[in-house]
Amino acid sequence: MSERHIIKAGQGSGRDIFEYALLRVVPRVERGECINAGVLVYCRAQAYVGARTHLDEARLLALDPAADVAGVRAALRAVEGVCTGGEAAGQAARDDPGRRFRWLIAPRSTVVQPGPVHTGLTTDPAAEADRLLDLLVR
């Protein structure tokens, strides 16, 4: 009988499993229309949580001419602050990256909402956040 080696996903390949979710802006919840305005990325193996955001004001105002653009920008900055940690994260600064990610992806019925969580493999979660922002938001 020969010895078998089982490699878990991400191990031995130099890549780690990561999770990501889009940040959506839903200016009028009752209509259900949304635009993508950011991405959250979490990689447990690298203790990384990060957010990249980009708000297309013209698209937002096309959905709702009365949208609170400044309020949406503030909400997106707050998400970035929670990911960064430190004073910008407020009470969440004491939480580890995984808890901060889980809190940010929790369903909510506000103007800025997280989408479903997806997974992938990466060697650089920060670069992955940039790539996903370009691919899915811009």
Side-chain angles (χ1 to χ4, degrees):
M1 177 183 261
S2 64
E3 186 177 313
R4 296 177 63 195
H5 296 281
I6 298 174
I7 297 177
K8 293 181 183 175
Q11 291 182 339
S13 66
R15 298 186 302 169
D16 296 309
I17 296 171
F18 76 97
E19 299 172 72
Y20 71 95
L22 286 170
L23 291 173
R24 298 173 175 165
V25 177
V26 185
R28 294 179 57 193
V29 177
E30 69 278 8
R31 290 181 60 152
E33 299 169 325
C34 66
I35 62 168
N36 295 339
V39 63
L40 296 166
V41 172
Y42 170 59
C43 180
R44 180 178 178 203
Q46 296 187 32
Y48 175 86
V49 64
R52 302 291 188 278
T53 63
H54 171 79
L55 181 61
D56 184 333
E57 283 186 34
R59 288 182 72 203
L60 174 60
L61 293 172
L63 292 180
D64 182 4
D68 180 4
V69 175
V72 170
R73 286 196 184 282
L76 292 171
R77 278 193 308 272
V79 169
E80 291 173 336
V82 169
C83 288
T84 302
E87 289 183 30
Q91 290 182 326
R94 292 183 289 248
D95 290 339
D96 61 68
R99 285 185 61 126
R100 293 196 312 264
F101 179 74
R102 298 285 171 239
W103 181 77
L104 289 168
I105 63 166
R108 50 185 53 92
S109 60
T110 60
V111 172
V112 176
Q113 300 177 7
V117 176
H118 306 280
T119 61
L121 295 172
T122 188
T123 57
D124 184 348
E128 200 65 48
D130 293 332
R131 183 186 76 80
L132 289 169
L133 183 72
D134 287 340
L135 179 68
L136 302 172
V137 177
R138 289 192 173 137

